[in-house]
Amino acid sequence: MIDSAVKRMLTDHQEKFLIPGSVVANVMNTNNLYHAFLVLTKVRYAKIIVLDKDGKYRGLLSLPMITEQMLETESVDVEKLKHIKVEQVMQTDAPTIVDPYDVEQNLHLLTDQPFLPVVAENGDFTGIVTRREIFKAVNHLAHDIDEEYDITSKH
Ligand code: AMP
């Protein structure tokens, strides 16, 4: 359990935790990898969200998942990408969260993930929580806790 004072400070600016889906780069599950390759190269993110036509979350896609498909023994075949769909190679086992403001869960999961997709119970994609935004909250805690609390050593 996180101490209540620490939790209070971590959630002081919790409205910034959620990056809304409307500004999160995505590809569709039915897009081909050629298209996804262009999108990923352009947005410059390591991994992006995969959605279906109804806006439901389906998985994550990274550049290595694509480049692996175009590798031949001694060459690369970019044309091959036009015949493979995103849903055939995307990652589907990444952790997702329902509540972007559960700071304890965020801290725990963001240790191993750079961002967490926020997915409603009905599968709708809501947005992402990034390690960067949570790290800002930790920074605020580390620098400002003594302005709001008296901290005394027990030893
Ligand atoms: P950050 O902590 O801001 O560096 O973000 C960590 C990761 O979250 C990035 O490498 C991306 O994979 C993902 N990410 C952050 N912002 C966006 C966005 N607007 N659209 C898509 N992915 C994003």
Side-chain angles (χ1 to χ4, degrees), residues 14-49:
Q14 67 169 17
E15 71 282 356
K16 295 189 176 157
F17 286 0
L18 179 72
I19 298 179
S22 54
V23 296
V24 175
N26 69 77
V27 286
M28 291 244 298
N29 61 322
T30 51
N31 285 153
N32 66 47
L33 290 189
Y34 192 89
H35 173 79
F37 182 71
L38 296 178
V39 174
L40 261 162
T41 307
K42 195 140 186 110
V43 298
R44 293 169 175 264
Y45 289 123
K47 262 187 189 179
I48 54 172
I49 301 283

Side-chain angles (χ1 to χ4, degrees), residues 19-26 40 43-49 60-61 110 113-116 125 128-135:
I19 298 179
S22 54
V23 296
V24 175
N26 69 77
L40 261 162
V43 298
R44 293 169 175 264
Y45 289 123
K47 262 187 189 179
I48 54 172
I49 301 283
L60 299 177
L61 186 76
L110 286 170
Q113 319 289 331
F115 69 97
L116 300 167
F125 174 64
I128 58 174
V129 173
T130 61
R131 195 182 269 165
R132 182 195 301 261
E133 291 307 321
I134 298 301
F135 205 86

Side-chain angles (χ1 to χ4, degrees), residues 59-79:
L60 299 177
L61 186 76
S62 70
L63 220 39
M65 291 173 203
I66 300 175
T67 49
E68 199 175 325
Q69 299 300 318
M70 60 190 199
L71 286 184
E72 303 282 294
T73 322
E74 289 183 13
S75 61
V76 290
D77 180 1
V78 183
E79 284 301 306

Side-chain angles (χ1 to χ4, degrees), residues 4 8 20 24 43 48 50-52 54 57 60 79 93 95 97 112 115 125 127 147:
S4 62
R8 219 220 74 213
V24 175
V43 298
I48 54 172
V50 182
L51 301 177
D52 67 16
D54 301 317
Y57 170 82
L60 299 177
E79 284 301 306
D93 62 356
I97 57 172
D112 293 322
F115 69 97
F125 174 64
E147 286 175 15

